[in-house]
Amino acid sequence: MSLIDQFLPQHQFSQRHQATVRCRPGELLDIIQNYRPPKDRLGEMAMFARQMPAKLMHWVAPSQVPRPSPFTPANFIPLARDGDREIVGGLVGKFWRPDFGLLVINGPSEFLVSNPPRTAKLVIGFLAEQAGEDTLLTTETRVYCPDRYSRLMFAPYWLAIRPVSGLLRRRMLRTIREIAEHGDGRPGAVGAI
């Protein structure tokens, strides 16, 4: 059983993207595990737009609404790595809220048992499979909503962010391929996962 299936076997929403990379699977997962996104104007604009409602709410009522924390790959909880094959990370929150409504989860076992009502659970996985001399890298995001309320709240949010998320994910795969194949000297780093 894959790690993504172990951590989130049931889900209502998912998105998958693939890239072929000239790199061994284990080295590729090391790059992903230590990856930090480079400056990207499109990604920054998308995150700025996503966080604008929380910033406006804080600006209007600073005493009632705390300053929003930036959302970064570091928000993901590292869940597991299966050698040179797969790595997964996760989040639990109310992603449709302006502040993402993230819950503090202390590790993989707590993530597995965490299933609060009116809250969604997300897993992102990277699967590296040898394909001749290359590696087929698949990234998949899955979201599970435990009740009708969370499904009704998450569905419109998913419809709004899915196209942009997919575009950003494809750009991330391109960047990871460049780093793996060309030894791009960018600061390494997806310790987020």
Side-chain angles (χ1 to χ4, degrees):
M1 177 183 286
S2 70
L3 290 176
I4 199 165
D5 287 332
Q6 289 176 33
F7 281 94
L8 204 60
Q10 297 177 10
H11 58 283
Q12 296 93 354
F13 306 91
S14 68
Q15 187 174 45
R16 179 187 287 219
H17 301 282
Q18 293 183 318
T20 302
V21 183
R22 286 188 315 268
C23 183
R24 291 194 306 259
E27 292 173 2
L28 193 53
L29 289 181
D30 289 344
I31 291 168
I32 291 166
Q33 193 165 5
N34 294 309
Y35 177 78
R36 292 284 183 258
K39 285 242 179 245
D40 176 17
R41 184 176 295 277
L42 178 65
E44 290 171 0
M45 287 176 13
M47 191 51 66
F48 178 82
R50 168 59 184 89
Q51 293 183 318
M52 182 54 71
K55 290 177 182 181
L56 286 173
M57 289 171 61
H58 173 72
W59 184 73
V60 169
S63 64
Q64 296 173 343
V65 180
R67 179 181 304 276
S69 300
F71 182 83
T72 70
N75 291 108
F76 283 85
I77 304 141
L79 296 175
R81 179 168 175 171
D82 179 8
D84 293 346
R85 180 168 167 71
E86 188 179 12
I87 189 167
V88 294
L91 294 169
V92 178
K94 297 175 182 180
F95 309 119
W96 52 90
R97 284 187 13 189
D99 65 355
F100 299 97
L102 296 180
L103 301 182
V104 175
I105 303 294
N106 297 308
S109 56
E110 191 172 318
F111 180 87
L112 282 168
V113 298
S114 178
N115 209 20
R118 298 179 169 232
T119 303
K121 196 177 213 180
L122 180 148
V123 170
I124 183 170
F126 294 88
L127 177 66
E129 301 172 289
Q130 194 73 49
E133 293 186 14
D134 297 333
T135 297
L136 178 62
L137 178 61
T138 303
T139 178
E140 183 177 2
T141 302
R142 292 181 179 179
V143 178
Y144 173 70
C145 297
D147 51 38
R148 186 171 190 272
Y149 175 87
S150 57
R151 284 190 300 277
L152 289 173
M153 296 303 288
F154 186 78
Y157 173 72
W158 180 254
L159 290 173
I161 64 133
R162 189 172 195 253
V164 175
S165 174
L167 176 63
L168 294 175
R169 191 70 50 85
R170 288 188 296 275
R171 290 167 64 98
M172 177 190 68
L173 287 174
R174 256 194 319 271
T175 302
I176 289 169
R177 179 175 33 219
E178 289 173 14
I179 293 168
E181 294 181 353
H182 305 295
D184 193 328
R186 291 178 228 212
V190 167
I193 309 245

